């Protein structure tokens, strides 16, 4: 065991003395030391209850003969950070989380790790750390928030953002806005749709890094506590058998995760995060290959924002395991991959079946024949752009319209709220990429305002930043190269015609190459908005979104 570096031998008497200062016994120090990464805080609804999950995990570890060693981890609430400078820190926090987990695990010679995340950047940050450390590791999240229906319509966080757009457009009064605000988020858990947090928690199952149920068991169910205890017991077995992330996160399991992503209709951010996790394992995800997976994987689920179902409905339908069973039955995933159960995916899925074939449609009767995510290419996105195709209205899958150009999210949202965007427009928000933002802000404000005004079937939005997993409509993000690196998005002028063809994976500005060359000769890169502190360093070191926006 690695922990013997700090617990065994005469030379380690000082180390043992420090452990004993905290109350550890000789017996505890003879057992595997298991790091328990608790990202509890009092600013994220998905994390407010994680102390309860952590205590259950530690109980499981002790039951199985291990010694839990808990430490804390930061987290950003994307909803609270949305729409102001705070959002610049969200994606960047993913790197801090990965680095902090690495630091704690290696500095203290831990034998294994239980990662307890729940929300948007915390899950992928911890996945990156697990892949990098390659210590026996397992995940258990805090679980999704419930969605309630005070007036017969299930609400979620996105409902509130869209209600603001409806209010601005005069379609909702003060009382109506207050009712949505008071009922959309009824308690703890990750926001209840197939947004980024729940997407990534579901994908931990598809990757094989979490026990069945991790992605969908609601935060307030006792089954979540039992899952946490089982997770604590399982990490001790993983340490004893030396089953590591490198045994689990492979080319095949990453393909399984991407296939599950397509079938579920996950957040477009999942592409960014899976790319980053793959890089930690020394592998690359080719964005064009993602389209190949999408082309052969039908979209079987329409959860919010694409549809009216929420994660609690997916859980009742059998959860991620039921979806995987349908995919395996149709040879769409590789069942031979190893998982943290110590068994293969196929062994885990024995006897599993879909419980509601409307929430999880049959492979032969999907919502659409192609997957929920598409990566677009063209002169506007030479290195790719990402859209959640399953949340785009059919009439917007192919669109041409005049560019309405804004150099920041703030400029765009002001124009939208002041009713300056018209039917047919293509809103272009640039200099919001990893470098230009810096931090590649997630933009739920502009997209939900457009939707709340009833324009989501008439207006497209493009950015080198990101859109929230709660976004619906023709919202195309991650445009690479970004504006701050001289990408063509920086050369677009007001009124240029933008051509979007999602079924054919293309996005272009209809301006000839000579004119683009002329504009490029006159282009001057704006000064970075933030040049000091952590974000200043991040801007100097971060890679393109097409490479996962990881630090070089």
């Amino acid at each position: 065991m690695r922990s013997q570096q700090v617990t065994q031998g005469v030379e380690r008497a000082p180390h043992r003395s420090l452990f004993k200062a905290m109350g550890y016994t000789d017996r505890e120090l003879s057992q595997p030391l298991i790091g328990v990464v608790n990202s509890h805080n009092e600013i994220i609804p998905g994390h407010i209850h994680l102390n309860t999950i952590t205590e259950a995990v530690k109980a499981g570890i002790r039951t199985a003969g291990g010694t839990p060693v808990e430490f804390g981890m930061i987290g950003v609430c994307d909803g609270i950070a949305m729409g102001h400078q705070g959002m610049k820190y969200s994606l960047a926090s993913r790197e801090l989380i990965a680095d902090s987990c690495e630091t704690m695990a290696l500095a203290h010679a831990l034998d294994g790790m239980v990662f307890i995340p729940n929300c948007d950047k915390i899950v992928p940050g911890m996945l990156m750390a697990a892949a990098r450390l390659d210590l026996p590791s397992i995940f258990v999240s805090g679980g999704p928030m419930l969605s309630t229906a005070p007036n017969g319509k299930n609400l979620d966080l996105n409902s509130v953002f869209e209600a603001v757009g409806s209010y601005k457009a005069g379609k909702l009064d003060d009382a109506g806005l207050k009712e949505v605000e008071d009922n959309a988020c009824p308690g703890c858990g990750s926001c209840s749709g197939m947004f980024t947090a729940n997407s990534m928690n579901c994908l931990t199952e598809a990757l094989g890094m979490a026990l069945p149920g991790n992605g969908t068991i609601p935060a307030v169910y006792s089954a979540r506590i039992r899952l946490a205890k089982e997770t604590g017991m399982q990490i001790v077995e993983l340490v004893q058998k030396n089953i590591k992330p490198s045994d689990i996160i492979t080319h095949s399991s990453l393909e399984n995760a991407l296939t599950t992503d397509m079938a579920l209709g996950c957040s477009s951010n999942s592409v960014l995060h899976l790319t980053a996790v793959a890089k930690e394992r020394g592998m690359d995800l080719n964005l064009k290959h993602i389209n190949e997976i999408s082309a052969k994987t039908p979209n079987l689920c329409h959860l919010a924002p694409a549809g009216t179902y929420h994660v609690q409905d997916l859980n009742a339908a059998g959860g991620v395991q039921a979806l995987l069973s349908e995919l395996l039955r149709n040879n769409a995933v590789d069942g031979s991959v190893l998982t943290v159960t110590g068994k293969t995916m196929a062994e885990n899925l024995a006897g599993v079946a879909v419980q509601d074939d409307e929430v999880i449609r049959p492979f032969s009767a999907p919502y659409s024949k192609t997957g929920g995510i598409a990566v677009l290419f063209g002169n506007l996105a030479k290195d790719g752009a990402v859209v959640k195709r399953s949340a785009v209205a059919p009439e917007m899958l192919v669109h041409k319209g005049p560019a309405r150009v804004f150099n920041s999210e703030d400029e765009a949202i002001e124009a939208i709220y002041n009713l300056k965007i018209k039917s047919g427009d293509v809103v272009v928000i640039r200099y919001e990429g990893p470098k230009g933002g810096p931090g590649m802000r997630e933009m739920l404000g502009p997209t939900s305002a457009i939707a709340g005004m009833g324009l989501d079937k008439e207006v497209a939005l493009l950015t080198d930043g990101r859109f929230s997993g709660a976004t619906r409509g023709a919202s195309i993000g991650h445009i690479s190269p970004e504006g701050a690196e001289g990408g063509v998005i920086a050369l677009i002028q007001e009124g240029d015609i933008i051509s979007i063809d999602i079924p054919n994976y293309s996005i272009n500005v209809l301006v000839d190459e000579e004119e683009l060359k002329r504009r490029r000769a006159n282009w001057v890169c704006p000064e970075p908005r933030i040049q000091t502190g952590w974000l200043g360093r991040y801007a100097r070191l971060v890679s393109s979104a097409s490479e996962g926006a990881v630090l070089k």
Side-chain angles (χ1 to χ4, degrees):
M1 294 189 299
R2 293 184 71 258
S3 60
Q4 291 180 353
Q5 299 174 56
V6 295
T7 62
Q8 301 300 310
V10 172
E11 297 83 359
R12 297 301 182 248
H15 302 66
R16 292 192 296 274
S17 179
L18 291 168
F19 276 105
K20 289 177 179 179
M22 297 178 281
Y24 289 89
T25 66
D26 287 327
R27 180 171 178 176
E28 285 177 304
L29 295 179
S30 70
Q31 298 174 158
L33 294 185
I34 309 297
V36 179
V37 191
N38 179 9
S39 56
H40 164 266
N41 61 43
E42 296 182 351
I43 197 67
I44 309 177
H47 291 232
I48 190 71
H49 63 305
L50 290 189
N51 281 343
T52 302
I53 302 295
T54 300
E55 288 304 315
V57 166
K58 293 194 292 185
I61 292 170
R62 293 188 182 104
T63 298
T67 300
V69 179
E70 177 189 344
F71 59 89
M73 192 54 54
I74 67 165
V76 171
C77 177
D78 277 20
I80 295 173
M82 194 75 66
H84 60 94
Q85 183 169 329
M87 180 47 74
K88 295 178 183 292
Y89 287 87
S90 176
L91 182 60
S93 74
R94 187 187 69 178
E95 312 306 308
L96 292 177
I97 290 163
D99 290 351
S100 297
C101 290
E102 174 192 356
T103 299
M104 292 298 289
L106 297 185
H108 303 105
L110 301 176
D111 295 306
M113 302 284 282
V114 180
F115 293 95
I116 308 176
N118 209 23
C119 290
D120 293 35
K121 307 310 166 301
I122 299 91
V123 184
M126 290 185 181
L127 277 171
M128 290 166 65
R132 183 188 304 173
L133 287 165
D134 204 28
L135 297 173
S137 299
I138 193 169
F139 281 69
V140 60
S141 78
M145 187 183 292
L146 292 177
S147 171
T148 59
N151 285 318
K153 179 184 178 183
N154 282 80
L155 299 175
D156 52 53
L157 177 64
N158 196 34
S159 306
V160 194
F161 277 94
E162 292 191 6
V164 173
S166 297
Y167 182 89
K168 294 280 187 179
K171 298 181 178 183
L172 194 67
D173 61 15
D174 289 324
L177 179 61
K178 181 75 160 53
E179 181 177 22
V180 176
E181 174 187 329
D182 288 349
N183 290 284
C185 299
C188 64
S190 47
C191 296
S192 56
M194 191 48 65
F195 311 149
T196 303
N198 289 324
S199 294
M200 293 308 301
N201 281 323
C202 286
L203 294 181
T204 60
E205 285 191 58
L207 273 173
M209 288 297 295
L211 295 179
N214 182 58
T216 62
I217 296 172
V220 295
Y221 284 15
S222 62
R224 177 62 58 179
I225 303 298
R226 296 196 297 272
L227 180 71
K229 290 179 180 178
E230 290 165 359
T231 298
M233 289 184 271
Q234 189 60 27
I235 186 59
V236 178
E237 181 176 325
L238 293 173
V239 170
Q240 290 169 344
K241 293 181 177 179
N242 197 30
I243 296 175
K244 304 184 297 297
S246 57
D247 301 313
I248 295 170
I249 303 175
T250 62
H251 283 289
S252 292
S253 68
L254 281 165
E255 292 233 346
N256 285 349
L258 285 167
T259 300
T260 305
D261 188 323
M262 297 302 169
L264 266 178
C266 290
S267 163
S268 59
N269 287 311
S270 60
V271 173
L272 194 72
H273 299 321
L274 288 175
T275 301
V277 172
K279 284 193 174 294
E280 294 289 353
R281 284 282 295 112
M283 298 180 285
D284 288 318
L285 286 185
N286 184 301
L287 295 186
K288 291 185 177 178
H289 182 53
I290 291 175
N291 285 339
E292 294 171 7
I293 294 173
S294 179
K296 64 183 182 182
T297 307
N299 178 221
L300 306 183
C301 301
H302 256 197
L303 279 69
T308 57
Y309 297 114
H310 289 78
V311 180
Q312 66 204 42
D313 302 306
L314 178 61
N315 186 65
V320 175
Q321 297 298 300
L323 176 69
L324 287 170
S325 73
E326 181 66 11
L327 294 173
L328 181 63
R329 193 169 64 84
N330 288 275
N331 300 311
V333 291
D334 180 354
S336 69
V337 296
L338 185 65
T339 73
V340 290
T341 65
K343 301 175 182 178
T344 66
M345 178 183 286
E347 289 172 324
N348 292 341
L349 297 176
V352 174
V354 173
Q355 302 301 310
D356 186 330
D357 61 10
E358 189 58 28
V359 176
I360 304 174
R361 291 262 185 100
F363 203 87
S364 58
Y367 283 99
S368 65
K369 293 182 179 179
T370 52
I373 299 290
V375 183
L376 312 184
F377 296 90
N379 70 348
L380 185 46
K382 179 174 65 71
D383 295 335
V386 182
V387 61
K388 186 170 182 174
R389 171 168 47 189
S390 60
V392 179
E395 51 266 54
M396 288 299 294
L397 290 171
V398 178
H399 180 74
K400 284 184 182 179
R404 303 297 310 281
V405 183
F406 303 95
N407 289 335
S408 70
E409 177 191 7
D410 310 278
E411 291 179 15
I413 197 72
E414 181 181 2
I416 294 167
Y417 281 157
N418 286 310
L419 308 181
K420 295 179 180 179
I421 303 302
K422 307 301 180 187
S423 178
D425 284 349
V426 177
V427 176
V428 177
I429 307 173
R430 62 191 178 194
Y431 302 122
E432 290 285 7
K435 289 182 180 295
M440 203 180 182
R441 277 200 283 188
E442 190 173 85
M443 302 179 216
L444 185 53
T447 57
S448 56
I450 289 288
M453 292 173 179
L455 293 173
D456 56 301
K457 297 180 181 179
E458 302 169 23
V459 170
L461 295 97
L462 315 181
T463 186
D464 50 8
R466 301 179 297 124
F467 289 119
S468 166
T471 292
R472 62 185 172 96
S475 302
I476 301 166
H478 308 196
I479 289 177
S480 302
E482 63 173 288
E485 290 191 318
V488 169
I489 191 172
L491 309 180
I492 297 173
Q493 295 181 357
E494 191 82 6
D496 286 349
I497 300 301
I498 307 292
S499 174
I500 300 165
D501 187 343
I502 295 173
N504 288 302
Y505 307 106
S506 75
I507 181 167
N508 291 281
V509 55
L510 302 185
V511 175
D512 65 55
E513 192 59 35
E514 286 304 312
E515 172 62 14
L516 290 176
K517 286 181 180 179
R518 186 190 67 78
R519 293 181 188 180
R520 184 176 300 283
N522 296 317
W523 175 73
V524 177
C525 183
E527 282 287 311
R529 294 189 178 105
I530 297 176
Q531 300 182 41
T532 59
W534 158 233
L535 279 184
R537 296 196 303 275
Y538 180 86
R540 292 189 292 273
L541 296 172
V542 71
S543 69
S544 166
S546 63
E547 298 176 340
V550 296
L551 296 185
K552 297 176 182 176

